Amino acid sequence: MRYRVKIEVSLKPGHSDPEGETTAKSLKGLRYPVETVKVSKVYEVFLHAKSLKEVQRHADEMCRRLLANPTKDNYRFNIEEVK
Amino acid sequence: MRYRVKIEVSLKPGHSDPEGETTAKSLKGLRYPVETVKVSKVYEVFLHAKSLKEVQRHADEMCRRLLANPTKDNYRFNIEEVK
């Protein structure tokens, strides 16, 4: 079966987000009433697996081993079966 | 009122996504049954506005003027009122 896993990796609270800060500064410079901006990344992964349980295991491992930095990142994902 | 706008900026189909390609290659190297990976960015913007309509106008403008590149990016957003 083919699955689409949408993984969102974001900074844990309290960790500095220079890209978000710069973006907020630029938006304020353009006169938008912006307070703060937080930037996160989304990985849309298409993969093959035998079952939903297998995909969940893969997704969790991929986050821990490659996509997220356990010291500073949180991650969450949702899985969808696709054709 | 205070709002949270979650903006997702992703590449239009057909545009090259080197970060996604590299990520897919790394995940395949770790023996995951991955086919393709697409990377996009999420901006979580907190701002003040008088009405939902005003936030929608701001969000759309911020995407067109700063956050998305009209040549290669698609964007979409959802708005939530927060305290």
Side-chain angles (χ1 to χ4, degrees):
Chain A
M1 314 244 251
R2 190 167 176 255
Y3 296 88
R4 186 186 79 130
V5 187
K6 201 169 173 178
I7 301 168
E8 185 171 343
V9 178
S10 56
L11 281 168
K12 286 182 181 173
H15 280 264
S16 142
D17 178 357
E19 189 177 355
E21 283 164 26
T22 307
T23 306
K25 209 173 157 183
S26 303
L27 289 171
K28 285 175 194 171
L30 292 169
R31 304 280 179 203
Y32 294 108
V34 167
E35 202 178 272
T36 53
V37 177
K38 287 175 187 177
V39 182
S40 54
K41 202 165 259 191
V42 173
Y43 298 92
E44 202 181 355
V45 180
F46 292 86
L47 52 77
H48 291 275
K50 280 175 210 153
S51 65
L52 185 62
K53 209 176 163 182
E54 192 180 297
V55 188
Q56 283 170 329
R57 191 169 44 82
H58 282 329
D60 201 60
E61 264 187 39
M62 292 190 293
C63 289
R64 284 186 285 109
R65 294 178 70 186
L66 188 78
L67 304 177
N69 175 338
T71 310
K72 63 175 188 61
D73 295 328
N74 281 328
Y75 62 87
R76 60 178 184 181
F77 54 81
N78 64 64
I79 300 169
E80 202 183 322
E81 195 182 323
V82 290
K83 292 205 173 169
Chain B
M1 316 246 251
R2 189 166 176 255
Y3 294 89
R4 185 185 80 131
V5 188
K6 201 169 173 177
I7 300 169
E8 185 171 342
V9 179
S10 56
L11 280 169
K12 285 181 181 172
H15 280 265
S16 141
D17 178 357
E19 189 178 354
E21 284 163 25
T22 307
T23 306
K25 209 174 158 183
S26 303
L27 289 172
K28 285 174 192 168
L30 291 169
R31 304 280 179 204
Y32 294 107
V34 166
E35 202 178 272
T36 53
V37 177
K38 288 174 185 176
V39 182
S40 54
K41 203 165 258 191
V42 173
Y43 297 93
E44 201 181 356
V45 180
F46 292 86
L47 52 76
H48 290 275
K50 279 175 210 153
S51 65
L52 185 62
K53 209 176 163 181
E54 192 181 296
V55 188
Q56 284 170 329
R57 190 167 45 81
H58 282 329
D60 201 61
E61 265 187 39
M62 291 189 296
C63 289
R64 284 186 285 108
R65 295 178 71 187
L66 188 78
L67 305 176
N69 176 338
T71 309
K72 63 175 190 61
D73 295 328
N74 282 327
Y75 63 85
R76 61 179 184 180
F77 53 81
N78 64 62
I79 299 170
E80 202 183 321
E81 196 181 323
V82 289
K83 293 208 172 167

